[in-house]
Amino acid sequence: MLADLPDDLRESGAIKVRKKLGTISGGDVLDVGTEDGDFIKVLMKTLKDYNSFTGIDISGDELEKAREEIKDVTTNFIQMNAEAMTFQENQFDTVCSSYSLHHFENIDTVLAEMYRVLKPGGYFIIQEMYSDGEQTPAQQVDRDVAHLNVKIDSLLGIPHFKSLTRQKMKDLINKVGLSDVEVFESSWSVKCLFCKDAKECQYPKRSDNIDLVLKQIDDDLDRVREHSSYNELKKEADSLKERVITEGSSAASVMYFFGRK
Ligand SMILES: C[S@@+](CC[C@H](N)C(=O)[O-])C[C@H]1O[C@@H](n2cnc3c(N)ncnc32)[C@H](O)[C@@H]1O
């Protein structure tokens, strides 16, 4: 059942995405860069039907959480590099990836692997935030906080890249060789349709949200306290924190791609 939705969520692209997902029989679904399996939970609520879910991630840290949270017998979580999957060609009826493209060192290689393991006629689904377009000041803050996190991860040797522009994403997807590609943009994610706190997200300047983002910036900065770039990063973080206080922060807009092999 849908939560009590704020008007701009009700009018956003998320509704169209949910409708599209509701037309898809997922069959055996592969989620790439699954982390804690959050997108699998969304697909369980939105796909017309499905047979099984497999979530893969290069890091095992969050997979245990995914296994604990999604105890459904039809799910399986495996630690695996998406650039060299051990699955067979044409193994899955649906392949998807959510908020992960900007974490992949070689996006083209991962997309080609996703295509390889997808059955002919199967659905290829991407959900990813983007960096350009008409984002509100609070969304621009969210993007820039994420980009500070990218800088800090990169200094620590963790692959993480700035969020992509819409054109860059279209170029990447065009190279995959999919047919019947449909693209949706939304200022809200489809997950928000099921969130009991969605109404509060209309107010990016609410104090609990500001406190959370300020803490997130401080925690991030703490990770590089001993690094030679610390003072420079602290300056950037301090000016970001001022923007968080004046504008608040709300999740960046999202792009969805649906295509078939
Ligand atoms: C932002 S998280 C994904 C979030 C999740 N899919 C969701 O929708 O909430 C990105 C994930 O990509 C994973 N990742 C990065 N490179 C990878 C690779 N080569 N193969 C598999 N997973 C990878 C990271 O470990 C991380 O858990």
Side-chain angles (χ1 to χ4, degrees):
M1 206 176 74
L2 290 184
D4 186 15
L5 304 181
D7 288 345
D8 57 340
L9 171 53
R10 201 176 284 284
E11 286 152 22
S12 77
I15 297 284
K16 285 186 192 153
V17 172
R18 180 173 184 255
K19 272 196 193 133
K20 176 70 195 176
L21 286 165
T23 66
I24 297 174
S25 284
D28 293 322
V29 183
L30 172 68
D31 182 35
V32 176
T34 196
E35 201 179 36
D36 60 357
D38 216 34
F39 195 48
I40 290 180
K41 288 187 210 158
V42 173
L43 294 178
M44 284 176 159
K45 291 183 191 130
T46 52
L47 288 175
K48 186 175 169 194
D49 47 47
Y50 58 86
N51 182 40
S52 72
F53 285 97
T54 301
I56 64 164
D57 203 290
I58 198 165
S59 155
D61 294 353
E62 297 286 323
L63 289 181
E64 207 41 57
K65 192 169 158 199
R67 288 185 192 108
E68 269 166 33
E69 285 187 4
I70 311 177
K71 290 220 190 296
D72 198 303
V73 285
T74 63
T75 57
N76 186 22
F77 292 98
I78 309 171
Q79 189 168 6
M80 189 187 294
N81 184 352
E83 288 186 26
M85 298 184 203
T86 55
F87 303 122
Q88 294 179 352
E89 269 179 37
N90 309 336
Q91 186 166 331
F92 294 94
D93 300 290
T94 302
V95 296
C96 60
S97 187
S98 159
Y99 294 117
S100 291
L101 293 188
H102 67 291
H103 285 264
F104 298 143
E105 276 189 284
N106 298 295
I107 303 179
D108 284 325
T109 312
V110 173
L111 295 177
E113 273 292 85
M114 288 172 66
Y115 187 82
R116 180 183 69 79
V117 301
L118 179 63
K119 279 185 192 157
Y123 267 103
F124 191 106
I125 304 171
I126 298 287
Q127 166 174 265
E128 182 82 7
M129 77 272 210
Y130 55 82
S131 59
D132 59 337
E134 287 177 21
Q135 314 246 9
T136 64
Q139 286 182 307
Q140 291 173 29
V141 169
D142 175 74
R143 175 198 60 202
D144 296 341
V145 170
H147 287 175
L148 176 68
N149 179 246
V150 166
K151 269 193 194 171
I152 291 174
D153 272 352
S154 303
L155 280 178
L156 297 172
I158 301 165
H160 194 179
F161 308 92
K162 285 188 170 180
S163 44
L164 301 159
T165 62
R166 290 167 298 168
Q167 188 56 50
K168 177 69 187 168
M169 272 194 254
K170 284 182 185 165
D171 293 345
L172 285 162
I173 299 296
N174 273 339
K175 282 194 271 175
V176 177
L178 299 166
S179 53
D180 306 333
V181 175
E182 288 177 74
V183 185
F184 300 88
E185 285 177 27
S186 178
S187 51
W188 295 72
S189 148
V190 72
K191 174 184 170 172
C192 304
L193 296 169
F194 304 95
C195 177
K196 63 178 178 33
D197 300 324
K199 279 215 147 171
E200 289 167 24
C201 287
Q202 291 179 105
Y203 310 107
K205 293 187 199 176
R206 62 190 198 283
S207 62
D208 62 331
N209 188 41
I210 289 179
D211 290 348
L212 191 80
V213 182
L214 293 178
K215 180 173 180 326
Q216 201 180 317
I217 295 174
D218 282 339
D219 288 350
D220 228 6
L221 204 55
D222 254 0
R223 297 160 66 215
V224 283
R225 192 163 281 283
E226 304 303 325
H227 199 279
S228 57
S229 310
Y230 178 77
N231 288 338
E232 197 188 313
L233 287 165
K234 181 161 182 344
K235 259 191 218 158
E236 188 176 333
D238 285 344
S239 99
L240 252 180
K241 283 161 82 173
E242 279 173 28
R243 284 174 59 206
V244 173
I245 291 162
T246 45
E247 305 293 356
S249 170
S250 61
S253 294
V254 200
M255 201 152 181
Y256 292 85
F257 292 88
F258 291 84
R260 303 191 87 154
K261 181 166 175 180

PDB file of all heavy atoms in Angstrom, residues 138-139 141-142 145 197 200-217 244-245 247-251:
ATOM      1  N   ALA A 138      18.497  22.614  -2.098  1.00  0.00           N
ATOM      2  CA  ALA A 138      18.713  21.537  -1.111  1.00  0.00           C
ATOM      3  C   ALA A 138      19.253  20.277  -1.799  1.00  0.00           C
ATOM      4  O   ALA A 138      20.079  19.551  -1.237  1.00  0.00           O
ATOM      5  CB  ALA A 138      17.414  21.227  -0.374  1.00  0.00           C
ATOM      6  N   GLN A 139      18.803  20.021  -3.023  1.00  0.00           N
ATOM      7  CA  GLN A 139      19.324  18.858  -3.760  1.00  0.00           C
ATOM      8  C   GLN A 139      20.782  19.102  -4.177  1.00  0.00           C
ATOM      9  O   GLN A 139      21.592  18.188  -4.189  1.00  0.00           O
ATOM     10  CB  GLN A 139      18.476  18.588  -5.001  1.00  0.00           C
ATOM     11  CG  GLN A 139      17.126  17.973  -4.691  1.00  0.00           C
ATOM     12  CD  GLN A 139      16.343  17.689  -5.960  1.00  0.00           C
ATOM     13  OE1 GLN A 139      16.158  18.579  -6.792  1.00  0.00           O
ATOM     14  NE2 GLN A 139      15.899  16.466  -6.109  1.00  0.00           N
ATOM     15  N   VAL A 141      22.883  20.768  -2.485  1.00  0.00           N
ATOM     16  CA  VAL A 141      23.670  20.527  -1.269  1.00  0.00           C
ATOM     17  C   VAL A 141      23.929  19.023  -1.132  1.00  0.00           C
ATOM     18  O   VAL A 141      25.067  18.589  -0.895  1.00  0.00           O
ATOM     19  CB  VAL A 141      22.943  21.082  -0.013  1.00  0.00           C
ATOM     20  CG1 VAL A 141      23.616  20.587   1.261  1.00  0.00           C
ATOM     21  CG2 VAL A 141      22.902  22.603  -0.044  1.00  0.00           C
ATOM     22  N   ASP A 142      22.886  18.219  -1.318  1.00  0.00           N
ATOM     23  CA  ASP A 142      23.018  16.761  -1.197  1.00  0.00           C
ATOM     24  C   ASP A 142      24.085  16.240  -2.174  1.00  0.00           C
ATOM     25  O   ASP A 142      24.953  15.439  -1.814  1.00  0.00           O
ATOM     26  CB  ASP A 142      21.666  16.101  -1.501  1.00  0.00           C
ATOM     27  CG  ASP A 142      21.736  14.583  -1.507  1.00  0.00           C
ATOM     28  OD1 ASP A 142      21.838  14.003  -0.424  1.00  0.00           O
ATOM     29  OD2 ASP A 142      21.693  13.974  -2.598  1.00  0.00           O
ATOM     30  N   VAL A 145      27.554  17.324  -0.944  1.00  0.00           N
ATOM     31  CA  VAL A 145      27.984  16.522   0.219  1.00  0.00           C
ATOM     32  C   VAL A 145      28.461  15.155  -0.293  1.00  0.00           C
ATOM     33  O   VAL A 145      29.492  14.630   0.138  1.00  0.00           O
ATOM     34  CB  VAL A 145      26.825  16.356   1.252  1.00  0.00           C
ATOM     35  CG1 VAL A 145      27.183  15.330   2.314  1.00  0.00           C
ATOM     36  CG2 VAL A 145      26.476  17.702   1.888  1.00  0.00           C
ATOM     37  N   ASP A 197       8.006   8.213   6.116  1.00  0.00           N
ATOM     38  CA  ASP A 197       8.509   9.563   6.430  1.00  0.00           C
ATOM     39  C   ASP A 197       8.534  10.481   5.215  1.00  0.00           C
ATOM     40  O   ASP A 197       9.101  11.576   5.275  1.00  0.00           O
ATOM     41  CB  ASP A 197       9.936   9.475   7.003  1.00  0.00           C
ATOM     42  CG  ASP A 197       9.971   8.652   8.270  1.00  0.00           C
ATOM     43  OD1 ASP A 197       8.986   8.733   9.037  1.00  0.00           O
ATOM     44  OD2 ASP A 197      10.956   7.919   8.488  1.00  0.00           O
ATOM     45  N   GLU A 200       7.762  14.199   5.553  1.00  0.00           N
ATOM     46  CA  GLU A 200       8.774  15.040   6.210  1.00  0.00           C
ATOM     47  C   GLU A 200       9.848  15.485   5.224  1.00  0.00           C
ATOM     48  O   GLU A 200      10.455  16.544   5.390  1.00  0.00           O
ATOM     49  CB  GLU A 200       9.425  14.282   7.369  1.00  0.00           C
ATOM     50  CG  GLU A 200       8.466  14.108   8.527  1.00  0.00           C
ATOM     51  CD  GLU A 200       8.962  13.112   9.536  1.00  0.00           C
ATOM     52  OE1 GLU A 200      10.180  12.899   9.614  1.00  0.00           O
ATOM     53  OE2 GLU A 200       8.101  12.525  10.223  1.00  0.00           O
ATOM     54  N   CYS A 201      10.085  14.656   4.204  1.00  0.00           N
ATOM     55  CA  CYS A 201      11.145  14.979   3.237  1.00  0.00           C
ATOM     56  C   CYS A 201      10.799  16.196   2.377  1.00  0.00           C
ATOM     57  O   CYS A 201      11.630  16.699   1.646  1.00  0.00           O
ATOM     58  CB  CYS A 201      11.465  13.774   2.357  1.00  0.00           C
ATOM     59  SG  CYS A 201      12.356  12.531   3.263  1.00  0.00           S
ATOM     60  N   GLN A 202       9.546  16.671   2.477  1.00  0.00           N
ATOM     61  CA  GLN A 202       9.195  17.913   1.782  1.00  0.00           C
ATOM     62  C   GLN A 202       9.890  19.102   2.422  1.00  0.00           C
ATOM     63  O   GLN A 202       9.950  20.169   1.851  1.00  0.00           O
ATOM     64  CB  GLN A 202       7.696  18.184   1.926  1.00  0.00           C
ATOM     65  CG  GLN A 202       6.809  17.259   1.205  1.00  0.00           C
ATOM     66  CD  GLN A 202       5.363  17.663   1.485  1.00  0.00           C
ATOM     67  OE1 GLN A 202       4.713  18.233   0.650  1.00  0.00           O
ATOM     68  NE2 GLN A 202       4.888  17.373   2.686  1.00  0.00           N
ATOM     69  N   TYR A 203      10.367  18.907   3.652  1.00  0.00           N
ATOM     70  CA  TYR A 203      10.940  20.026   4.407  1.00  0.00           C
ATOM     71  C   TYR A 203      12.427  19.780   4.647  1.00  0.00           C
ATOM     72  O   TYR A 203      12.822  19.276   5.706  1.00  0.00           O
ATOM     73  CB  TYR A 203      10.185  20.195   5.742  1.00  0.00           C
ATOM     74  CG  TYR A 203       8.696  20.244   5.536  1.00  0.00           C
ATOM     75  CD1 TYR A 203       7.880  19.171   5.900  1.00  0.00           C
ATOM     76  CD2 TYR A 203       8.101  21.339   4.914  1.00  0.00           C
ATOM     77  CE1 TYR A 203       6.516  19.191   5.661  1.00  0.00           C
ATOM     78  CE2 TYR A 203       6.734  21.366   4.666  1.00  0.00           C
ATOM     79  CZ  TYR A 203       5.958  20.289   5.046  1.00  0.00           C
ATOM     80  OH  TYR A 203       4.608  20.303   4.794  1.00  0.00           O
ATOM     81  N   PRO A 204      13.275  20.138   3.649  1.00  0.00           N
ATOM     82  CA  PRO A 204      14.693  19.815   3.766  1.00  0.00           C
ATOM     83  C   PRO A 204      15.417  20.583   4.872  1.00  0.00           C
ATOM     84  O   PRO A 204      16.511  20.206   5.273  1.00  0.00           O
ATOM     85  CB  PRO A 204      15.260  20.199   2.388  1.00  0.00           C
ATOM     86  CG  PRO A 204      14.244  21.064   1.746  1.00  0.00           C
ATOM     87  CD  PRO A 204      12.919  20.743   2.361  1.00  0.00           C
ATOM     88  N   LYS A 205      14.748  21.646   5.413  1.00  0.00           N
ATOM     89  CA  LYS A 205      15.424  22.423   6.464  1.00  0.00           C
ATOM     90  C   LYS A 205      15.021  21.987   7.865  1.00  0.00           C
ATOM     91  O   LYS A 205      15.302  22.679   8.833  1.00  0.00           O
ATOM     92  CB  LYS A 205      15.112  23.908   6.292  1.00  0.00           C
ATOM     93  CG  LYS A 205      15.707  24.516   5.032  1.00  0.00           C
ATOM     94  CD  LYS A 205      15.510  26.010   5.025  1.00  0.00           C
ATOM     95  CE  LYS A 205      15.665  26.545   3.619  1.00  0.00           C
ATOM     96  NZ  LYS A 205      15.385  27.970   3.530  1.00  0.00           N
ATOM     97  N   ARG A 206      14.314  20.851   7.991  1.00  0.00           N
ATOM     98  CA  ARG A 206      13.921  20.441   9.340  1.00  0.00           C
ATOM     99  C   ARG A 206      15.183  20.092  10.138  1.00  0.00           C
ATOM    100  O   ARG A 206      16.164  19.581   9.587  1.00  0.00           O
ATOM    101  CB  ARG A 206      12.913  19.297   9.299  1.00  0.00           C
ATOM    102  CG  ARG A 206      13.419  18.058   8.675  1.00  0.00           C
ATOM    103  CD  ARG A 206      12.301  17.048   8.452  1.00  0.00           C
ATOM    104  NE  ARG A 206      12.881  15.736   8.243  1.00  0.00           N
ATOM    105  CZ  ARG A 206      13.446  15.378   7.093  1.00  0.00           C
ATOM    106  NH1 ARG A 206      13.493  16.196   6.075  1.00  0.00           N
ATOM    107  NH2 ARG A 206      13.970  14.170   6.978  1.00  0.00           N
ATOM    108  N   SER A 207      15.125  20.398  11.436  1.00  0.00           N
ATOM    109  CA  SER A 207      16.366  20.376  12.224  1.00  0.00           C
ATOM    110  C   SER A 207      16.985  18.982  12.312  1.00  0.00           C
ATOM    111  O   SER A 207      18.210  18.837  12.264  1.00  0.00           O
ATOM    112  CB  SER A 207      16.130  20.967  13.605  1.00  0.00           C
ATOM    113  OG  SER A 207      15.183  20.172  14.267  1.00  0.00           O
ATOM    114  N   ASP A 208      16.160  17.923  12.403  1.00  0.00           N
ATOM    115  CA  ASP A 208      16.764  16.582  12.518  1.00  0.00           C
ATOM    116  C   ASP A 208      17.532  16.231  11.241  1.00  0.00           C
ATOM    117  O   ASP A 208      18.587  15.597  11.283  1.00  0.00           O
ATOM    118  CB  ASP A 208      15.708  15.518  12.861  1.00  0.00           C
ATOM    119  CG  ASP A 208      14.643  15.384  11.787  1.00  0.00           C
ATOM    120  OD1 ASP A 208      14.364  16.379  11.086  1.00  0.00           O
ATOM    121  OD2 ASP A 208      14.084  14.284  11.626  1.00  0.00           O
ATOM    122  N   ASN A 209      17.011  16.700  10.103  1.00  0.00           N
ATOM    123  CA  ASN A 209      17.691  16.424   8.834  1.00  0.00           C
ATOM    124  C   ASN A 209      19.022  17.181   8.768  1.00  0.00           C
ATOM    125  O   ASN A 209      20.062  16.616   8.417  1.00  0.00           O
ATOM    126  CB  ASN A 209      16.775  16.839   7.682  1.00  0.00           C
ATOM    127  CG  ASN A 209      17.303  16.429   6.328  1.00  0.00           C
ATOM    128  OD1 ASN A 209      17.819  15.319   6.178  1.00  0.00           O
ATOM    129  ND2 ASN A 209      17.223  17.313   5.355  1.00  0.00           N
ATOM    130  N   ILE A 210      18.983  18.468   9.148  1.00  0.00           N
ATOM    131  CA  ILE A 210      20.213  19.275   9.127  1.00  0.00           C
ATOM    132  C   ILE A 210      21.260  18.646  10.060  1.00  0.00           C
ATOM    133  O   ILE A 210      22.418  18.467   9.669  1.00  0.00           O
ATOM    134  CB  ILE A 210      19.898  20.742   9.519  1.00  0.00           C
ATOM    135  CG1 ILE A 210      19.125  21.407   8.366  1.00  0.00           C
ATOM    136  CG2 ILE A 210      21.166  21.524   9.846  1.00  0.00           C
ATOM    137  CD1 ILE A 210      18.712  22.830   8.600  1.00  0.00           C
ATOM    138  N   ASP A 211      20.835  18.254  11.268  1.00  0.00           N
ATOM    139  CA  ASP A 211      21.787  17.657  12.223  1.00  0.00           C
ATOM    140  C   ASP A 211      22.412  16.386  11.648  1.00  0.00           C
ATOM    141  O   ASP A 211      23.613  16.149  11.784  1.00  0.00           O
ATOM    142  CB  ASP A 211      21.076  17.296  13.542  1.00  0.00           C
ATOM    143  CG  ASP A 211      20.692  18.548  14.307  1.00  0.00           C
ATOM    144  OD1 ASP A 211      21.171  19.644  13.939  1.00  0.00           O
ATOM    145  OD2 ASP A 211      19.875  18.439  15.254  1.00  0.00           O
ATOM    146  N   LEU A 212      21.584  15.593  10.981  1.00  0.00           N
ATOM    147  CA  LEU A 212      22.069  14.331  10.403  1.00  0.00           C
ATOM    148  C   LEU A 212      23.144  14.592   9.342  1.00  0.00           C
ATOM    149  O   LEU A 212      24.197  13.947   9.331  1.00  0.00           O
ATOM    150  CB  LEU A 212      20.886  13.595   9.785  1.00  0.00           C
ATOM    151  CG  LEU A 212      21.122  12.165   9.355  1.00  0.00           C
ATOM    152  CD1 LEU A 212      21.035  11.259  10.584  1.00  0.00           C
ATOM    153  CD2 LEU A 212      20.067  11.728   8.330  1.00  0.00           C
ATOM    154  N   VAL A 213      22.873  15.571   8.454  1.00  0.00           N
ATOM    155  CA  VAL A 213      23.819  15.832   7.355  1.00  0.00           C
ATOM    156  C   VAL A 213      25.114  16.461   7.905  1.00  0.00           C
ATOM    157  O   VAL A 213      26.214  16.122   7.465  1.00  0.00           O
ATOM    158  CB  VAL A 213      23.171  16.713   6.262  1.00  0.00           C
ATOM    159  CG1 VAL A 213      24.135  16.947   5.116  1.00  0.00           C
ATOM    160  CG2 VAL A 213      21.898  16.065   5.741  1.00  0.00           C
ATOM    161  N   LEU A 214      24.978  17.344   8.913  1.00  0.00           N
ATOM    162  CA  LEU A 214      26.182  17.946   9.507  1.00  0.00           C
ATOM    163  C   LEU A 214      27.048  16.847  10.137  1.00  0.00           C
ATOM    164  O   LEU A 214      28.276  16.843   9.999  1.00  0.00           O
ATOM    165  CB  LEU A 214      25.803  18.987  10.572  1.00  0.00           C
ATOM    166  CG  LEU A 214      25.105  20.251  10.051  1.00  0.00           C
ATOM    167  CD1 LEU A 214      24.743  21.178  11.212  1.00  0.00           C
ATOM    168  CD2 LEU A 214      25.970  21.000   9.044  1.00  0.00           C
ATOM    169  N   LYS A 215      26.395  15.900  10.782  1.00  0.00           N
ATOM    170  CA  LYS A 215      27.147  14.798  11.421  1.00  0.00           C
ATOM    171  C   LYS A 215      27.829  13.929  10.357  1.00  0.00           C
ATOM    172  O   LYS A 215      28.981  13.520  10.510  1.00  0.00           O
ATOM    173  CB  LYS A 215      26.200  13.958  12.289  1.00  0.00           C
ATOM    174  CG  LYS A 215      26.920  12.804  12.971  1.00  0.00           C
ATOM    175  CD  LYS A 215      26.044  12.086  13.950  1.00  0.00           C
ATOM    176  CE  LYS A 215      26.716  10.923  14.654  1.00  0.00           C
ATOM    177  NZ  LYS A 215      27.694  10.158  13.926  1.00  0.00           N
ATOM    178  N   GLN A 216      27.089  13.726   9.266  1.00  0.00           N
ATOM    179  CA  GLN A 216      27.625  12.919   8.155  1.00  0.00           C
ATOM    180  C   GLN A 216      28.925  13.578   7.622  1.00  0.00           C
ATOM    181  O   GLN A 216      29.914  12.896   7.381  1.00  0.00           O
ATOM    182  CB  GLN A 216      26.562  12.926   7.076  1.00  0.00           C
ATOM    183  CG  GLN A 216      26.604  11.835   6.058  1.00  0.00           C
ATOM    184  CD  GLN A 216      25.429  12.070   5.079  1.00  0.00           C
ATOM    185  OE1 GLN A 216      24.298  12.387   5.483  1.00  0.00           O
ATOM    186  NE2 GLN A 216      25.689  11.947   3.800  1.00  0.00           N
ATOM    187  N   ILE A 217      28.902  14.912   7.467  1.00  0.00           N
ATOM    188  CA  ILE A 217      30.083  15.630   6.955  1.00  0.00           C
ATOM    189  C   ILE A 217      31.234  15.499   7.959  1.00  0.00           C
ATOM    190  O   ILE A 217      32.370  15.205   7.585  1.00  0.00           O
ATOM    191  CB  ILE A 217      29.744  17.120   6.690  1.00  0.00           C
ATOM    192  CG1 ILE A 217      28.710  17.238   5.562  1.00  0.00           C
ATOM    193  CG2 ILE A 217      31.004  17.917   6.362  1.00  0.00           C
ATOM    194  CD1 ILE A 217      28.191  18.645   5.323  1.00  0.00           C
ATOM    195  N   VAL A 244      24.316  23.730   4.229  1.00  0.00           N
ATOM    196  CA  VAL A 244      23.347  22.782   4.808  1.00  0.00           C
ATOM    197  C   VAL A 244      22.415  23.542   5.754  1.00  0.00           C
ATOM    198  O   VAL A 244      21.185  23.348   5.736  1.00  0.00           O
ATOM    199  CB  VAL A 244      24.074  21.646   5.578  1.00  0.00           C
ATOM    200  CG1 VAL A 244      23.086  20.764   6.323  1.00  0.00           C
ATOM    201  CG2 VAL A 244      24.929  20.807   4.636  1.00  0.00           C
ATOM    202  N   ILE A 245      22.998  24.457   6.547  1.00  0.00           N
ATOM    203  CA  ILE A 245      22.186  25.182   7.530  1.00  0.00           C
ATOM    204  C   ILE A 245      21.214  26.143   6.833  1.00  0.00           C
ATOM    205  O   ILE A 245      20.054  26.257   7.230  1.00  0.00           O
ATOM    206  CB  ILE A 245      23.111  25.909   8.536  1.00  0.00           C
ATOM    207  CG1 ILE A 245      23.816  24.861   9.410  1.00  0.00           C
ATOM    208  CG2 ILE A 245      22.330  26.898   9.402  1.00  0.00           C
ATOM    209  CD1 ILE A 245      25.037  25.370  10.139  1.00  0.00           C
ATOM    210  N   GLU A 247      20.179  26.023   3.429  1.00  0.00           N
ATOM    211  CA  GLU A 247      19.298  25.427   2.393  1.00  0.00           C
ATOM    212  C   GLU A 247      18.668  24.104   2.817  1.00  0.00           C
ATOM    213  O   GLU A 247      17.721  23.645   2.182  1.00  0.00           O
ATOM    214  CB  GLU A 247      20.098  25.154   1.104  1.00  0.00           C
ATOM    215  CG  GLU A 247      20.843  26.348   0.522  1.00  0.00           C
ATOM    216  CD  GLU A 247      19.890  27.412  -0.007  1.00  0.00           C
ATOM    217  OE1 GLU A 247      18.667  27.195   0.002  1.00  0.00           O
ATOM    218  OE2 GLU A 247      20.387  28.475  -0.401  1.00  0.00           O
ATOM    219  N   GLY A 248      19.243  23.427   3.812  1.00  0.00           N
ATOM    220  CA  GLY A 248      18.812  22.068   4.118  1.00  0.00           C
ATOM    221  C   GLY A 248      19.405  21.118   3.077  1.00  0.00           C
ATOM    222  O   GLY A 248      20.308  21.497   2.322  1.00  0.00           O
ATOM    223  N   SER A 249      18.896  19.903   3.041  1.00  0.00           N
ATOM    224  CA  SER A 249      19.418  18.921   2.091  1.00  0.00           C
ATOM    225  C   SER A 249      18.313  17.942   1.724  1.00  0.00           C
ATOM    226  O   SER A 249      17.564  17.505   2.593  1.00  0.00           O
ATOM    227  CB  SER A 249      20.589  18.176   2.760  1.00  0.00           C
ATOM    228  OG  SER A 249      20.974  17.081   1.987  1.00  0.00           O
ATOM    229  N   SER A 250      18.190  17.664   0.427  1.00  0.00           N
ATOM    230  CA  SER A 250      17.252  16.594   0.053  1.00  0.00           C
ATOM    231  C   SER A 250      17.818  15.822  -1.137  1.00  0.00           C
ATOM    232  O   SER A 250      18.563  16.376  -1.950  1.00  0.00           O
ATOM    233  CB  SER A 250      15.848  17.124  -0.240  1.00  0.00           C
ATOM    234  OG  SER A 250      15.862  18.011  -1.285  1.00  0.00           O
ATOM    235  N   ALA A 251      17.451  14.559  -1.209  1.00  0.00           N
ATOM    236  CA  ALA A 251      18.086  13.629  -2.158  1.00  0.00           C
ATOM    237  C   ALA A 251      18.046  14.150  -3.596  1.00  0.00           C
ATOM    238  O   ALA A 251      17.027  14.682  -4.047  1.00  0.00           O
ATOM    239  CB  ALA A 251      17.396  12.278  -2.069  1.00  0.00           C
TER     240      ALA A 251
END
